[in-house]
Amino acid sequence: MQHHDPYNYGEPHDNQPAPDWQQPGYATSTVERSTAVTLIGLFYLVTCGLGVLQGMLGVLGALLSMDGFTILFSVIGLAINGFLAYSGYSLYKRENWARQTIIAVNYINIAISIIATLAFGGFAISNGFNDQSVFGGMMLVIFVVLFIAVGFTVLISWLIINKLESDPVVRECTPTSIFHQDHYPHTFE
């Protein structure tokens, strides 16, 4: 079968293997997109996009109050949310750097959640859980609710990390994957 090369890639040399799209039996369809990666990317895009809106309102409020400390932290929060929203969009587009960024953010999330829970637990234990203390039994209830919420957060972060580090997702997001190389130039062959 004669191969028509509309993009002028040239014929492969004898010592160079032919690209996958020139091999017999090559399927012209793209790599199947993982639904989980799409949802993770959209989750970060939407939630951090809302964080960007909140950050803009925070900067506006800080500018109206002319509080330099609040302006600084509002701008930092706006920049972080903007970067994470862009990372979510890039993960949706299957960029490998975005996959690595979201993995790193989730590792940081797990570490901060555990450290904050342990710090609050130490504070609660030092004040006592009995009804005689200043905070009384309310501290025990808050600690239990916090422990459940942090456990849920750590579980979700761990599931995101495991999904984004799985072999199919790594292949899907790498620049050498069929999705990145062959999808656009060979769609209509």
Side-chain angles (χ1 to χ4, degrees):
M1 173 182 234
Q2 185 72 13
H3 174 71
H4 174 65
D5 190 5
Y7 301 101
N8 197 19
Y9 281 29
E11 294 299 318
H13 303 292
D14 291 335
N15 59 355
Q16 180 182 12
D20 286 341
W21 56 272
Q22 290 181 348
Q23 298 292 334
Y26 172 76
T28 57
S29 64
T30 61
V31 170
E32 185 176 331
R33 293 174 61 98
S34 169
T35 304
V37 176
T38 299
L39 291 176
I40 293 168
L42 290 176
F43 172 77
Y44 272 89
L45 176 63
V46 170
T47 56
C48 294
L50 291 173
V52 167
L53 293 176
Q54 182 270 334
M56 289 190 299
L57 290 174
V59 169
L60 179 64
L63 287 173
L64 292 175
S65 69
M66 297 306 277
D67 181 14
F69 192 70
T70 308
I71 292 172
L72 174 68
F73 280 102
S74 295
V75 169
I76 290 172
L78 179 64
I80 290 171
N81 278 315
F83 176 71
L84 289 177
Y86 181 68
S87 295
Y89 175 73
S90 296
L91 182 63
Y92 175 76
K93 293 297 209 174
R94 304 304 191 263
E95 296 289 337
N96 195 40
W97 69 266
R99 182 186 66 82
Q100 294 169 343
T101 299
I102 299 297
I103 289 171
V105 165
N106 279 285
Y107 276 125
I108 292 169
N109 184 26
I110 289 173
I112 289 175
S113 297
I114 291 172
I115 290 170
T117 302
L118 292 175
F120 183 78
F123 173 73
I125 290 171
S126 69
N127 284 316
F129 287 128
N130 59 20
D131 291 332
Q132 313 289 322
S133 70
V134 176
F135 296 107
M138 179 182 73
M139 191 63 73
L140 179 61
V141 172
I142 292 173
F143 183 69
V144 169
V145 170
L146 179 69
F147 189 76
I148 292 170
V150 168
F152 185 72
T153 301
V154 168
L155 175 68
I156 295 296
S157 293
W158 179 75
L159 291 173
I160 288 173
I161 290 168
N162 279 343
K163 183 61 181 176
L164 293 181
E165 287 182 340
S166 67
D167 288 338
V169 172
V170 170
R171 282 193 304 271
E172 186 178 342
C173 292
T174 53
T176 58
S177 72
I178 189 172
F179 181 77
H180 286 281
Q181 282 186 347
D182 296 337
H183 174 69
Y184 299 108
H186 305 294
T187 300
F188 301 107
E189 285 185 6

